[in-house]
Each structure stands twice: as structure tokens, then as C-alpha cells.
């Protein structure tokens, strides 16, 4: 009886460990959906703002940063769009209305130093907001693929924030290429939850092996007594 209890307990624990990563990967919460929708709208807004800066900014620095936004958020959004389609999440067709209104108001200053200053201040606020959005997903999101997309986007958004921090332009911090927007990269990304899942699987195997060893040992002892 004792042998059966030990074996059953180990088997149940191992089953729980094996099953946990799969259940986590399949779960899609309201937080995950909200992140995909907000990230997509944010990307659209940043692409539009970047293009506008390339056309209306007065300094080459702001134009360079604008180009970086168009490039990087275009790559990030390609991943978000593909992932949302895979998970069956419908995405908005346009940026958030307030973001469109802010950009429209800024265009009234096109070709003046006030445009550049307003654009930089707006991008600092926007990227600070986006980082908070990403961190919320990393903290409370449940779907492993959405988690990976957020984790992949974070260093890119943080880099953009550094380029406009303090309302000043730091184009030198804009690399020529970024590792973002690759579906293969996101698929290969190992997030914290996957690491925990791997550790859990290993623990389950150890439990099974230990139960088997105890069973054999007990049987040998029983044979010695008979």
C-alpha cells in the first residue's frame, strides 16, 4: 500500500509539471488581448509620427529618430499582427483617436523649431506609456507567445525613449538595425515561464525516478523477508 501511495503521488506531481507549460501557453486572457490591441495601435501611431517627422521636422536629428521609429515599429507591428491573427484577436484599424488628434495639432507647427520640440516631448510621453504597457503584460500576462512578444519589444521601446529623453534629440543612440520583427526570433525566445516549465519537467522526472527506486528497494526487502 505504501509503495502504491508513493508511486501515485509522484505520478500526479509529474503529470502536473508536464501539463503546466502547455496549459499556460494555450491560455489567452483579457490582459493578453488588451496588450495586442494597444501595442498595435501604439505601433501605428509611432509609424505615423515617424513619417511626419521625416517630412516636417527642421533638424536632421529629429528626422533620423523619426526614421528609426518607422523602421522599428514597422517590424514590431508585423509580429504583433501575425500573432494576433494566429490567436484569433481582432486588431483596430487605426491608431487611438487621441494620438491622431495630437499629431494633427502638431502639424500646425510644421517646419518650425516648435514642431521639433513638441514632437520630442510627445514621443517621450508615448514611449513612457508604452513601456508601462509592456511591463504590465510581463507582470500579469498569461499567454507565453504574447509574453514573448512583449519581452522582445521592450528593449526596442526603451532605446527609442533614450533617443528622446528629456525632450532632447539623441539620434546617435539609433542603431542602423535592430533585432525586432522576426517571427523566428520570437518563436525562439525563451521567456521566464518557459524556463520554469523546463525546470518543472525535470523535477517531475526526478520524482518518477525516485518513486521507481523506492518501489524496487521495497520489493527487494519484501523478497528477503519471504
Amino acid at each position: 500500500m505504501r509503495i502504491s501511495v508513493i508511486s501515485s503521488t509522484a505520478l500526479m506531481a509529474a503529470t502536473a509539471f508536464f501539463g503546466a507549460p502547455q496549459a499556460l501557453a494555450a491560455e489567452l486572457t483579457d490582459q493578453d488581448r488588451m496588450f495586442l490591441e494597444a501595442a498595435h495601435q501604439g505601433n501605428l501611431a509611432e509609424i505615423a509620427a515617424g513619417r511626419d517627422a521625416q517630412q516636417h521636422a527642421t533638424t536632421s536629428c529629429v528626422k533620423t529618430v523619426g526614421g528609426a521609429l518607422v523602421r522599428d515599429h514597422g517590424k514590431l507591428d508585423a509580429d504583433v499582427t501575425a500573432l494576433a491573427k494566429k490567436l484569433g484577436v481582432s486588431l483596430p484599424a487605426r491608431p487611438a483617436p487621441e494620438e491622431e488628434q495630437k499629431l494633427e495639432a502638431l502639424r500646425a507647427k510644421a517646419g518650425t523649431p516648435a514642431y521639433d520640440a513638441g514632437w520630442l516631448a510627445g514621443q517621450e510621453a508615448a514611449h513612457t506609456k508604452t513601456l508601462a504597457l509592456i511591463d504590465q503584460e510581463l507582470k500579469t500576462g498569461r499567454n507565453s507567445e504574447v509574453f514573448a512578444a512583449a519581452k522582445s519589444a521592450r528593449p526596442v521601446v526603451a532605446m527609442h525613449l533614450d533617443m528622446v529623453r528629456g525632450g532632447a534629440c539623441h539620434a546617435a543612440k539609433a542603431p542602423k538595425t535592430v533585432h525586432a520583427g522576426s517571427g523566428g526570433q520570437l518563436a525562439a525566445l525563451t521567456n521566464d515561464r518557459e524556463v520554469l516549465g523546463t525546470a518543472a519537467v525535470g523535477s517531475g522526472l526526478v520524482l518518477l525516478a525516485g518513486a521507481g527506486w523506492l518501489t524496487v528497494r521495497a520489493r527487494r526487502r519484501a523478497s528477503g523477508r519471504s
Side-chain angles (χ1 to χ4, degrees), residues 23 27 78 100 111 136 155 160 172 180 184 209 213 219:
E27 184 178 358
E100 290 187 313
Q136 184 62 34
H160 291 170
W213 179 81
R219 286 177 178 173

Side-chain angles (χ1 to χ4, degrees), residues 51-58 63 107 109-112 115-116:
R51 288 173 176 164
D52 203 76
Q54 288 179 305
Q55 183 176 358
H56 297 128
T58 62
K63 290 182 179 181
R107 287 197 185 107
K109 304 174 183 178
T112 70
Y115 175 94
D116 295 51

Side-chain angles (χ1 to χ4, degrees), residues 14-141:
T15 300
F17 281 131
F18 275 110
Q22 286 82 356
L24 178 62
E27 184 178 358
L28 186 68
T29 66
D30 289 341
Q31 163 62 34
D32 297 318
R33 293 177 182 276
M34 183 278 292
F35 174 77
L36 289 175
E37 294 168 2
H40 175 61
Q41 285 192 302
N43 286 329
L44 293 181
E46 299 308 331
I47 292 170
R51 288 173 176 164
D52 203 76
Q54 288 179 305
Q55 183 176 358
H56 297 128
T58 62
T59 65
S60 60
C61 183
V62 172
K63 290 182 179 181
T64 297
V65 174
L69 297 192
V70 174
R71 177 198 65 203
D72 300 346
H73 283 282
K75 292 178 180 179
L76 290 175
D77 199 55
D79 276 334
V80 167
T81 302
L83 182 55
K85 182 178 180 180
K86 176 182 177 181
L87 298 177
V89 177
S90 297
L91 297 178
R94 303 179 63 86
E98 58 268 26
E99 295 303 324
E100 290 187 313
Q101 292 168 8
K102 289 177 183 178
L103 184 59
E104 185 63 30
L106 186 61
R107 287 197 185 107
K109 304 174 183 178
T112 70
Y115 175 94
D116 295 51
W119 189 89
L120 289 168
Q123 289 311 305
E124 182 179 23
H127 283 83
T128 298
K129 180 180 178 180
T130 300
L131 276 184
L133 175 74
I134 291 173
D135 288 341
Q136 184 62 34
E137 172 62 22
L138 295 179
K139 181 179 178 181
T140 63

